[in-house]
Amino acid sequence: MVNSSISTRPTAADQRVRHGIFADRTPRRRHIADWSAKWIVKAGGASIIAAIFGILIFILIEVLPLARSARVEEALRVPYRGEPARGLLSDEYLTHAVTLGLDGRLQVIRLGEEAPQVVEERDLLRGAPSASVPEGESSAPAGEPKTAGPGPEPVLTRVQAHPSFRLLSASRSDGRVLLAPVRWKISFSEAEGRIVSCELPDLITLQVDPRGRPLSAYALVKEEGESDALPVTIVAQLEDGRLALVERKVKVNLFTDEVEETVDSSYVEIDWKLKDVVLDPSGKNLYAVTLDDRLIRWPRQRGGLGEPQVIESSGSSITAMTLLTGGRSLALGHGDGRVSIWFQVRDASDRFQLRRIREFTGAASPVSSLTTCPRNRSFFALHEDSSLELFFSTSERLLWQGKSPVKGTTAVCYGTKGDAVLFAGQDSLVVKRVENPHPEISLKALFGEVWYEDYEEPEYAWQSTGLNDSFESKMSLVPLLFGTLKGAFYSLLLAIPLGVLAALYTSQLMSPRLQKYVKPTVEIMAALPTVILGFLAGLWLAPRVERFLPGLLMMSVVLPLFVVAAGWLWGRMPLRIRNSIPDGSMAFYFCAVLALGIWFSVAFSGVLESWVFGGNIRNWLFEVTGLRYDQRNALVVGIVMGFAVIPIVFTISEESFSSVPRSLVAGSLALGATRWQTVASIVLPSGSPGMFAATMVGFGRAVGETMIVLMATGNTPVLNWNPFDGFRTLSANIAVEIPEAPHGATLYRTLFLSALMLFLVTFLVNTAAEVVRLRLRKRFGQL
């Protein structure tokens, strides 16, 4: 029976709570704190995502210019009158042009916005020759008939321009070669700024054919150095078929500036009529094209030419020939419009043979001339139908296509800086600006095998810089990507077994008293600066690994044997003795056994090296297996970087194993399963998602490591899995190269491309790890 005297009316306290008198204090503050924390977390996450996308966008901005093609745009057009120029030169600032036609008129033309101005003009046919070779005499050696006195007025038969030598040359119908050097002078004034002027030193005449007959073809090369005295070597075919080799040697007295000149001539009988010849810059190789389109290479020897290499015609006529920058690659233009690249390769008999390396396909019209860029392996191919293409040899890229800007092109000259090209035609002279910043880059150059000069076969190679502009850049990222994976592989080979098994033991088998010390200690290892680890690896560990390498190899057998033997002895101990040992002490027992095994391996390292490896394991490795040993190698990096990755693998795996419900473990043990059966059947499958995530995160950590691989490897970009050899990773390459890379240059942007690859690899690996982890979690979550 309910007591009706009890009042059901709300009290004053109930009224205050109902109307929010107390709710406006503590609950409101909690609400504000929760709301603030929620938005701070959201803002922090959004900031991280925005930062990542910002970094990605910045990298893409730096990388995208690598894919752009060249741009060739007209900058200046000036009228040109008289005989069309056959030879053409320009200064590096494009303020003047020097032209030479078959009429012998040498003109210096000032270029500018206003009308062109002929600054200086000289007639080579009527001008006085060099005093060293007076008219009516010859430089014929003893036994050769001398040229008679002045006869019919000679004419020019061929004109050549040599931009790298700052020289124009021409052959005359009387068997002489005229050398017209060009000298540029640069000065500065406050009023006009930079002032470029042109000087034409005295003309030099060399008698190549002592009988005064026209030359079929000729080529010349100037000796290295800045001497204006022009020490040159000329090779020419005479009318009777012989090859003439003329060397003009010059000695300059440093005190009096007097020039002592000597001219040596020799003659070689050959069986072919030539239509074009080229000498490499060193003067050691002579290339020639015969009238029946055979390609011949002669090695120059003291006093003459060596045995020729004759390459028969491929069916298409050879219409143009030149050497690319550096003088090692020979470019040939063909009658069907193709351009082929050749250079010397060492064959099986250790002899150098000329081989065709690659081809470019352009317009169908015959190639009339090839013009080489002085800064890199770019070249213009001009066809008879005025089609024009810009190629780059190493990357095999067609950079630009168009038409010649002048009617009846007679001469083409690449600017000294590689940023312009000049065209001379029948009635005009045109300057075109060339914007070609990254011709070395193509998909094949980055990720394919490329046949580089002086290499015996196509290879993946990275060598970004050389001594001079003639160096052929090698920008393959394959050795760097391979080195990154190699370093990660050897480090994970140590980190994954040790990290996962240590986490499994700590989580399931270690005593709680010992566990509270071990877990924090391993996690603190992750805070060790990698620069210290790299320093210790390179200067302390690497020499000791080299010294005790046999012992290190012995550890792979001795340590498992010692552990198994120690476990067998532990199991043979009386039960009362084992029970009297404090819980967790078994770990110290096995640590002592491992220390004993390490000491045993190191102590007997020298004995093993003497008995098994003949006293020198490095020689044994090379003679028996072909493996070379480098002190800073993948083995050293694997050991040190493995210990740097172990804390990450251990921490994630241990958390995963510890999160397995205790009810599952207890149920398995209650059903009669042993501790190891429970671990293998319950804990490992349930913790496999975390174990896989630990492996992938450890892989990402190893891929991005910089300082350890920078200091503990030889940084050699090689392609092999040899654990005793070095390697170079993408991250270490960025650290090494970026301080010396000019901003915006090809190397600079290629390094950002490698950074983009690292970014994408890490992103894809983490994404794949998360997807697989979720699937494994869903699969084993029902246990």
Side-chain angles (χ1 to χ4, degrees):
M1 187 172 179
V2 180
N3 188 357
S4 59
S5 64
I6 299 176
S7 175
T8 59
R9 296 176 62 184
T11 63
D14 293 335
Q15 291 286 348
R16 287 193 295 269
V17 171
R18 178 179 299 179
H19 290 87
I21 296 175
F22 294 107
D24 291 338
R25 297 178 183 178
T26 304
R28 178 175 293 179
R29 288 197 300 269
R30 185 182 302 121
H31 175 73
I32 293 174
D34 292 343
W35 181 86
S36 301
K38 179 180 70 174
W39 282 104
I40 289 175
V41 171
K42 287 183 178 181
S47 300
I48 293 174
I49 295 174
I52 293 175
F53 274 99
I55 294 173
L56 178 60
I57 292 172
F58 174 73
I59 294 176
L60 288 174
I61 290 174
E62 296 294 340
V63 169
L64 287 178
L66 292 175
R68 294 176 185 169
S69 298
R71 296 175 59 187
V72 181
E73 298 177 347
E74 185 171 317
L76 181 66
R77 178 183 293 268
V78 298
Y80 183 81
R81 295 179 179 84
E83 177 72 19
R86 303 289 176 171
L88 181 61
L89 293 179
S90 174
D91 66 289
E92 59 180 323
Y93 301 106
L94 302 175
T95 61
H96 294 77
V98 183
T99 64
L100 177 60
L102 290 177
D103 60 354
R105 290 174 59 202
L106 181 66
Q107 292 184 329
V108 180
I109 303 173
R110 180 178 295 160
L111 305 175
E113 298 297 335
E114 63 277 0
Q117 178 184 355
V118 178
V119 178
E120 186 174 353
E121 184 171 341
R122 182 179 296 181
D123 192 340
L124 300 190
L125 291 176
R126 295 169 179 81
S130 172
S132 61
V133 185
E135 286 285 356
E137 297 183 9
S138 77
S139 57
E144 288 287 350
K146 292 187 177 181
T147 306
E153 186 173 335
V155 296
L156 299 186
T157 58
R158 180 173 297 195
V159 175
Q160 294 182 7
H162 313 276
S164 57
F165 307 143
R166 299 192 297 274
L167 175 69
L168 290 168
S169 67
S171 60
R172 291 200 322 194
S173 57
D174 59 357
R176 300 190 181 201
V177 172
L178 309 181
L179 305 179
V182 178
R183 186 182 302 164
W184 304 106
K185 284 197 170 183
I186 303 175
S187 59
F188 293 87
S189 69
E190 295 183 1
E192 301 182 27
R194 182 177 56 238
I195 301 174
V196 181
S197 59
C198 178
E199 291 185 0
L200 300 178
D202 293 338
L203 186 68
I204 299 174
T205 304
L206 292 176
Q207 186 73 46
V208 178
D209 188 345
R211 299 183 182 177
R213 297 164 297 183
L215 307 178
S216 302
Y218 82 94
L220 67 83
V221 63
K222 178 179 174 290
E223 290 185 9
E224 293 184 0
E226 296 295 327
S227 174
D228 293 326
L230 282 178
V232 297
T233 299
I234 298 177
V235 177
Q237 186 173 40
L238 308 182
E239 195 174 62
D240 58 10
R242 293 180 302 163
L243 275 181
L245 285 75
V246 179
E247 292 185 77
R248 181 178 186 264
K249 299 179 181 179
V250 177
K251 291 184 178 180
V252 181
N253 191 312
L254 298 179
F255 295 99
T256 63
D257 291 334
E258 293 181 357
V259 177
E260 180 183 347
E261 173 190 352
T262 58
V263 179
D264 298 327
S265 301
S266 60
Y267 302 88
V268 180
E269 298 285 346
I270 64 172
D271 301 327
W272 302 276
K273 284 288 185 179
L274 309 180
K275 61 180 178 181
D276 201 2
V277 291
V278 172
L279 263 175
D280 70 358
S282 66
K284 296 180 179 179
N285 292 279
L286 173 64
Y287 304 95
V289 176
T290 66
L291 293 177
D292 57 357
D293 294 306
R294 296 178 182 178
L295 178 61
I296 306 176
R297 180 188 73 89
W298 282 279
R300 280 197 63 200
Q301 299 175 351
R302 179 173 298 181
L305 300 176
E307 181 182 353
Q309 177 192 355
V310 182
I311 301 173
E312 299 295 332
S313 173
S314 60
S316 177
S317 60
I318 299 176
T319 56
M321 178 171 62
T322 191
L323 285 168
L324 301 185
T325 298
R328 291 181 175 84
S329 293
L330 181 69
L332 299 180
H334 296 270
D336 56 4
R338 293 180 297 111
V339 177
S340 58
I341 305 297
W342 303 65
F343 54 75
Q344 299 179 51
V345 179
R346 192 189 302 271
D347 60 12
S349 60
D350 203 32
R351 297 177 59 188
F352 285 99
Q353 299 291 330
L354 196 62
R355 290 190 58 177
R356 179 168 53 197
I357 304 301
R358 56 184 70 96
E359 285 189 351
F360 298 91
T361 302
S365 176
V367 178
S368 59
S369 70
L370 297 170
T371 305
T372 303
C373 176
R375 292 295 181 94
N376 52 45
R377 272 83 181 158
S378 301
F379 62 92
F380 276 100
L382 177 65
H383 299 259
E384 291 184 358
D385 63 354
S386 296
S387 297
L388 191 66
E389 294 114 5
L390 177 60
F391 297 103
F392 191 86
S393 174
T394 308
S395 61
E396 302 184 29
R397 285 183 65 184
L398 171 60
L399 300 167
W400 179 83
Q401 269 183 311
K403 289 286 187 179
S404 173
V406 297
K407 179 181 179 182
T409 307
T410 56
V412 183
C413 174
Y414 224 124
T416 307
K417 291 184 177 180
D419 59 351
V421 60
L422 286 75
F423 297 87
Q426 296 178 358
D427 56 3
S428 59
L429 185 66
V430 174
V431 178
K432 276 183 170 284
R433 289 288 181 180
V434 179
E435 185 181 346
N436 187 22
H438 311 295
E440 305 94 339
I441 300 302
S442 66
L443 285 178
K444 183 173 183 180
L446 291 172
F447 303 106
E449 288 185 306
V450 178
W451 204 332
Y452 299 101
E453 298 170 353
D454 299 328
Y455 280 52
E456 297 179 5
E457 59 185 5
E459 289 188 16
Y460 302 102
W462 172 273
Q463 189 178 1
S464 58
T465 55
L467 295 177
N468 49 46
D469 290 335
S470 65
F471 171 76
E472 185 178 27
S473 298
K474 303 165 184 65
M475 294 289 187
S476 176
L477 295 179
V478 173
L480 308 180
L481 183 60
F482 180 86
T484 302
L485 298 177
K486 179 180 178 180
F489 171 77
Y490 282 110
S491 62
L492 294 180
L493 201 61
L494 176 69
I496 291 177
L498 290 182
V500 171
L501 294 178
L504 186 62
Y505 176 78
T506 303
S507 172
Q508 302 297 319
L509 303 174
M510 183 176 287
S511 65
R513 186 179 63 178
L514 189 60
Q515 185 180 14
K516 68 179 181 179
Y517 295 105
V518 171
K519 184 179 177 182
T521 302
V522 175
E523 291 175 350
I524 289 175
M525 288 174 56
L528 286 174
T530 56
V531 65
I532 296 178
L533 295 177
F535 179 80
L536 293 175
L539 298 183
W540 181 83
L541 182 62
R544 282 159 179 78
V545 169
E546 181 182 20
R547 180 181 176 185
F548 301 110
L549 181 61
L552 186 64
L553 298 178
M554 194 183 351
M555 288 180 194
S556 61
V557 177
V558 170
L559 293 184
L561 291 179
F562 272 49
V563 170
V564 171
W568 181 81
L569 289 175
W570 180 271
R572 292 291 179 177
M573 286 184 183
L575 187 60
R576 62 182 181 83
I577 297 178
R578 282 186 290 168
N579 291 337
S580 64
I581 297 176
D583 190 19
S585 300
M586 187 172 61
F588 296 101
Y589 166 71
F590 279 101
C591 286
V593 170
L594 289 174
L596 179 63
I598 294 173
W599 173 85
F600 178 86
S601 301
V602 172
F604 287 89
S605 176
V607 177
L608 180 66
E609 187 171 18
S610 300
W611 288 358
V612 179
F613 302 110
N616 193 322
I617 190 172
R618 297 180 63 174
N619 292 342
W620 183 89
L621 281 172
F622 181 71
E623 293 172 359
V624 176
T625 65
L627 300 177
R628 296 184 180 274
Y629 186 91
D630 186 12
Q631 186 184 82
R632 299 185 179 185
N633 52 51
L635 181 62
V636 175
V637 173
I639 294 173
V640 177
M641 195 158 67
F643 278 101
V645 175
I646 281 176
I648 297 175
V649 177
F650 173 87
T651 301
I652 299 176
S653 300
E654 199 276 336
E655 292 290 344
S656 177
F657 295 142
S658 297
S659 63
V660 175
R662 292 296 176 184
S663 59
L664 294 178
V665 177
S668 175
L669 295 174
L671 292 174
T674 65
R675 192 69 175 173
W676 279 109
Q677 288 174 332
T678 301
V679 168
S681 303
I682 302 298
V683 178
L684 272 178
S686 300
S688 59
M691 187 171 60
F692 181 79
T695 301
M696 291 296 100
V697 173
F699 174 79
R701 169 71 174 81
V703 165
E705 176 55 45
T706 302
M707 295 310 300
I708 294 177
V709 294
L710 183 65
M711 303 176 72
T713 69
N715 281 313
T716 50
V718 294
L719 279 168
N720 61 60
W721 287 104
N722 179 9
F724 308 117
D725 202 354
F727 56 90
R728 178 180 285 197
T729 65
L730 289 168
S731 56
N733 187 66
I734 295 173
V736 170
E737 301 274 4
I738 199 66
E740 304 297 331
H743 182 270
T746 301
L747 174 59
Y748 178 84
R749 299 193 186 281
T750 304
L751 294 176
F752 272 92
L753 177 61
S754 60
L756 179 63
M757 290 179 59
L758 274 176
F759 189 96
L760 294 178
V761 167
T762 305
F763 176 78
L764 293 176
V765 166
N766 290 340
T767 302
E770 184 65 16
V771 171
V772 174
R773 187 186 69 83
L774 292 176
R775 290 186 178 182
L776 291 175
R777 185 176 182 180
K778 182 179 180 181
R779 177 180 177 182
F780 295 107
Q782 300 174 357
L783 290 176

